[in-house]
Structures are given as structure tokens and as C-alpha cells.
Amino acid sequence: MRKLPFLLLVFSLSAFAEVQPYLVRDLPGYTVHDSMPFGRTFWTTIGNMTWFIANTTGKSIEVFKSDGTTAGTVQVTHGNGVPEIQFLGPYLGTLNGRLIYGGTDTGGEGVFALDTSGGEPVLLGRFVLRYLTNGVVRGDALYFFGPTTSERELWRTDGTPAGTSKIDLMPGNQGAFDPDRDPSLFALGPWIFFYGATPQGTGLHRTDGTIANTTLLLPLSASVLFNDTSEIIPLGDRMLFSLRGAQGNNALWATDGTPAGTSQIATVRAFSPIGIISGKLFFDGGGLWTTDGTAAGTRVTDVNVSTTSYSGRVLGSRLFLFGQVNDAGKLVSTLYVSEGTVATTRPIMKVDQHGYTSLGEGFVIGSNFYFRHDDGIHGMELWRTDGTVTEMLADINPGYRTGIEDVYGEERPDGKVIFVAKELTTGREPWITDGTAAGTHLLANCAPEDSLNGSSPRQLRASGDSVFFVATLFGGDAIGVSDGTSAGTAATLVNSPWTISSPAAANGRYFFSTAPTNSPGQIYATDGTAAGTTPIFEQSASPHAMANGILFAAGRDLWFSDGTIAATRKIHTFDASSFLPRFFSAGEVEWITQGPRLWTTDGTEAGTVELIPSQPPTGEVYEVIRAGKLIYFIESSTFDHGARLWRSDGTAAGSTIVKDLAAQTVTEFVGAAGPFVYFALNGTLYRSDGTANGTIALPVSSPCIFSGAAVGDALALTSFASNGTMTVWRSDGTSAGTAQLAAMLTKDGSSGCKSLTAHGNAAYFSGWDAVHGWELWTTDGTSSGTKMLADIYPGTKSSLPGELTLAGDRIFFSADSPSIGRELWAVGGHSIPRRHASHP
């Protein structure tokens, strides 16, 4: 079975103004999306939290943090949010609990600070990212080469915009650095080392971050700087570095930070450090070399097990070395263990790393060295050795020749290591290991598999705190259920050729009909699992949800079901009629209309009772709604009268006509708020308090008035005109208290002019502006509080929020976003303030 990857974008919400929608779960689609970049571009551990970057959308590389658990692995920056922050690199360093890095926002490229305790990234300054290299921390500041569009100078920051400033080492537009050579910074003790130009000359400099204490250590020509290998390594109280010389050789230098203490200590063919043992650096210098930082202490060892290059890691006093030899024209790699002498060097095993010339460096846990190897059976997988016993740690992709592509790992203080692996169903993602097979697993799928169109959640229906929906997954249509969290969201494949229709949700179940060809179909009930999906009625029908189950009509019979076969029962038989039954939720019981007749039901035979007013309706009753303590319904026009508004207290005696309305018109309820019911008549909004005199027109006129939603004791509603103008209104039932909140001259009103859904002190709807297209909007009944919540699909493209459905403390909806397509979103949770129910 394919895994259901997810990415939960969680915002910290504490007040209404901060409520933001979030992606509930990205259900699997058709393509595998690698989230992890190659190489060690951004791995750092602060305390018990590891920070890294991952590509979440194919367009945006974001910062994640992990405490070493899947639940504790979360996305920190949100490139698709507002403001848009996209990580591009590099990671410059950590200072005062802030990560300093290069990225972009809607204003362009720059350097940002991200507080590890929470919050959005803060812009420190605008810089050209392609020239940023690294940063170094000294004292209370982080220093970095800061290339702007006109200058290339040294910058200092304390992690705040006010504390970020330029150190003008080379006055003028050019600056001290030439990014075409090497703008990297290196640190030892109180000093920062860099290659560049100052008034003292061009070459290797040291500085403490001030102009006065900047010294040229080694004058160098521009050609030497251009060809410099840029490898600088601290060793004790010295800094080692190499400069390319004649005939392809490298000059190995050491400096103690003074001009007199800067000298060449050896000529080597290369300078690739491996590790330090007992104060000596072992490096690949065209053979295995060792140095203590002096000319006398720098020499090639007598270990000679490679004709090309060495790489490896230090574990205690031992070197784990990969050495390559040319065997009949093919490079063959062998893993060795050594203490730096021939006598202590022995082979462990031949290693196949697919002929890579840059071998994976591996990582260390306890007394074991971990590396990649293809044994010809399992593919490139993660192996380990303690120098004696060697074994595969985990077969990440059984039966396939893929798994580990490189073995860069971030070693954590809990003894675990986060590394990168490529599993077939998730792609290249972060994994974690404690050094055992059982403790090696996918940490998080930061870039879930997606189809081009997403899973397209639709037919959303709420039951309690959960919402059910239909989704299209990799294997076909599925029934999904969500409690508003990623972990609580799942989808079960239906695996059937028929179409799901007429859904309803009640009693913790999702009910739907099927209509196969040449078959009467069935009604199904499901709890969202394959085992909990059962046909409950051998005929297709349209379920209507009530508190403890559903109602549906089959021919002349009325049925009730709680989702089980045992409790699916007939509760009433209607008289012969050409009118189909209609179902309405209004008040303590369900209402059923059939032409001019009305019933109430509690789902039992005894509780199904016809309501017959003393003067019964003669036209069809087609709308029922509750406002305050009264039930209102609308009777259609007949030859004897126009449409009529009725009110009822649930008794025959208390069911009377409120007012005759215009003849030959269709009147529709818009909503109810406080003691009033609102309805549209001939393009005008009316309200009624249940009396003829209290049924009055309000100053809202539009060819199309959509449904409204109660916000406090007022009604929020939308209207739509033929010229494409969508208007948002608020009314408290009086002319003076009826006002326009917003007007949108849309390009396509049919795409977004939908009903409002209320919760707490606000209503939510799909709104439009020319900058963002159709996005999720909200209104609290004021003009200033009528605004877009989030640009889910950044730019002018629309996310088209649809099927806004209230379940518990959340409003669920479907929306489009880049890369992942149309998926399930939600807004709310405990962050939406609840409105006190002053009116039922």
C-alpha cells in the first residue's frame, strides 16, 4: 500500500486578526517530489533542535526544524505565505538564538534572521545572494561578506536590522572583496581571516571587525588569488591554508595571525583534510599526509593504499579511509582502518560507490562508522563498521537499486544522526538513525507526492468535529475523513467504478449513494476506514443528515438510519403525490415538506407527525428556516395568491401566514440572525420579525442575492450583479444598520461568489481582488474587518476556496496552491473566538 505523506503547515494563532488557513494534509498523487538538496548546504543543531532546509513546493526552499521525531519535525518558514520568504542560501551562522541566512521575500534578495524560539524571518539587509558564502561569529556579532548591487564589503550583525552595519575596509564602490575569487571568511581565536584588498594591499588579511585592527598577513597577486583552492583549516593556535602554485602543486601555509608567523610549510599536490588525531591533521595531499602545523612536522605518511585520492572520517584514534586504486582501467574503492602507519593499516572491505570520484564522507555513532555501499543485491544502502564487523544497516528500498546517494549527516546531542535517503514512495527526504536497523526511519516527508491537480477534495460534509470528503488519489477515488490535523486525516480507496453522489455526514459517519449502470444503486455508510464501510440500503437515494443519523425517501417511504443495517428502518409512508419530499434542519426536529404538506420527525415512527395549520397552505412549501424561537417557511405562488411567508411555533394553532408577497415570484431565504429572518424578493432584501408590519424591505438591491450567515446578531451576506460586481453587506435588520462593507469588480463572478460560512465572530467566504484573484476572505461585520485572510495561491492566480464547511472549531475547505494542486485546507481550531449563543 502506498504511504500517505503529509505536510502540516501550523501557524501560531492567538487572536482573530491572526487566524490563518493551513493545509490539513497533502494526500498522495502521481509524482514523487524530492525535498532534500544534494550536499551539506544547511544542517545545524542548536540544543536538541536540528535545523535544515527542504524544497516543499518545487519552487520554494524552506527552513525546517526537528527534535528528532516525526511529530517534532515542522516547517518554520513559509514561502507561500505572506510575506513570502524563500530560503536560497547560504546559511551564515547562528547568533543570539537567531539563524542568519540568505533568502528572498516579495521585495527581493537579502539576509534574514530567524528567531529559533518562533516568529517570522526578519530582513537584515538587501544583498546579492549568488555572492554570499559563509559567516563567522566572534563575540556578540556575526560577520559576513555582504555584496550589494554596488559594494562588496565586510558586514557585521547582531541579528537585528538596527544592529546590522557595513565595515568599510576598502572605501569606494568596489569594496574589499572580489567575489570572482574567494569571498569566504575563516575564524581563529579573536581573528577573522579573509582574502581581499584593503589600502594595505591585496592578499590574506586578518581583522577583529574594525578597520584599525585589519592587517595584511600575506601579499598575493591577483592570479594566485584567482586560482586559490580556498581550503582553510584551524589546527591548534594556527590556521592552515593552501595556495595553488606552479605545475599544479599547492603551497601549504600556516599562520598564527601575525605577518611574521605566516609561512609556507610544505608543497603538496592537494589539500583535502580528513581529520585530526592527537593534535595532528591527516589530509589527502597526493598521498596520505600528516601535519602539526609546522614545516618540520609536515610529512607524507608511509600509508599508500590509493592511486588517486583519500577520504574518510576520524573515530577516536582511528582513521576510516576510502582509498581508490586503478584495477584494469576501473577505479576500485576499498575501505581501510588506520592509525596513520602501515603497521596499523588494514583493509575492511571493497566498497562499490558507483565510481564516484568524490566519495561520501559518512558519519559516526558510538564506535561505528557509517557509509554507503552497493553489494550488488540491495543497491546503494547505508552500511556500518566498527573496524571488525561490517554489515548493512537498513535496506531502505527492498528489491531496488537505490537508497543512499550521499552520506552527509547531522550528528545530534541525543546520539542520533539525521541524514538523507531516497525511498521510492517519498523521494529524497530526511531520515534519522540511532545506529540500529529498528531505529532507522523516515523522519518526515517534507515534499509529499503530488498529482498535477492534487487530490481535489470535494463533497465536504461535517459530523461533530470531523469533516468527511471525497478525494482522487493515486489509485482512484477515496473517502477521506479529517479532524483538522495531519495525523487525524486519512483516505480510504473506494476501488469501485461507480460514482459517489448525494453525500451527508452524521453520527460520526459519511453516507452516500452509488449509481452503477443498469443497477438501482445503494446507500453506503462509512467511518472513513475500509472495514467501516458498509452498504445499508439496496437502493440509491439522497440522504439528509440529522443529529443521530440520516433520513431518506425511497418511493413513498420515509426511512431513518444511524449508519448500521440493524438500525435502518422505515418510519413513515407518504400518500400518493407528484411532489418529492424535501428535508430541512430547523429547530429541535427535522422538517419534511411534500407539496403543501409539512411533517416534523425525530427519526422515529411515533415522532413523525404532520403539521396541519387551521388554514393549510395551498402552494408548495419549498423553504424552511429557523429564526429565534420561530420556524419560517415559504409557500409558492398559486392562481389564488402570490408567494406567502409563514411562521410557526411548531403547533398547528401557532402556524399562520405572516404576509402575502408579490405574485408569480420565487422568494428565497437568505439567512437568519437575532430575531429576524431575511429573504430576497424581486432582487431586494427583506427581513421579518414574524409580523406583517415587521416585514420590511432593506436598502440592498441586486439581481442576485446569495445566502448570508449570522455574525453576532447581524447578518453578513453577498450579492452579485451582472457586470461582475460582488458586494459584501451587513444588516442588523434596520435600514440604518444595513451597510455595504466591500465591493469587488470581479473578472468571473461565478468562480467565487459563494455562500458565507460563519463561526465565532466572523464569516468566511471566497473573495476577489485584482492582485490576488479568488482567495479566502473574512468579515466581522465592519468594513475594516472585511479582508483577505491569506494568498494561498501567491500572485494573481486564484486558489478558488470552495465548499466551506464548519466542523467543530474549524472551517474546512478545498483550495488550489502551487505544486500540490487542490487539497484540503482548514482555518480555525481553538484560535477562532467562539460567539456566545444569545440566540439559538
Side-chain angles (χ1 to χ4, degrees), residues 190-204:
W191 302 111
I192 300 168
F193 297 82
F194 66 91
Y195 298 111
T198 68
Q200 301 176 40
T202 300
L204 179 68

Side-chain angles (χ1 to χ4, degrees), residues 422-433:
K422 188 166 187 176
E423 197 263 344
L424 292 178
T425 60
T426 60
R428 184 180 165 86
E429 298 294 338
W431 284 58
I432 192 164
T433 182

Side-chain angles (χ1 to χ4, degrees), residues 504-507 509-511 523-526 534-537 543-553 558-571 602-604:
N507 199 34
R509 289 178 171 87
Y510 192 56
F511 300 83
I523 298 178
Y524 278 77
T526 180
T534 309
I536 59 171
F537 192 74
H544 168 76
M546 55 187 297
N548 58 342
I550 59 167
L551 299 171
F552 61 93
L558 176 65
W559 289 72
F560 167 85
S561 178
D562 68 355
T564 65
I565 296 176
T568 301
R569 59 184 183 268
K570 183 173 68 174
I571 60 174
D602 60 3
T604 68

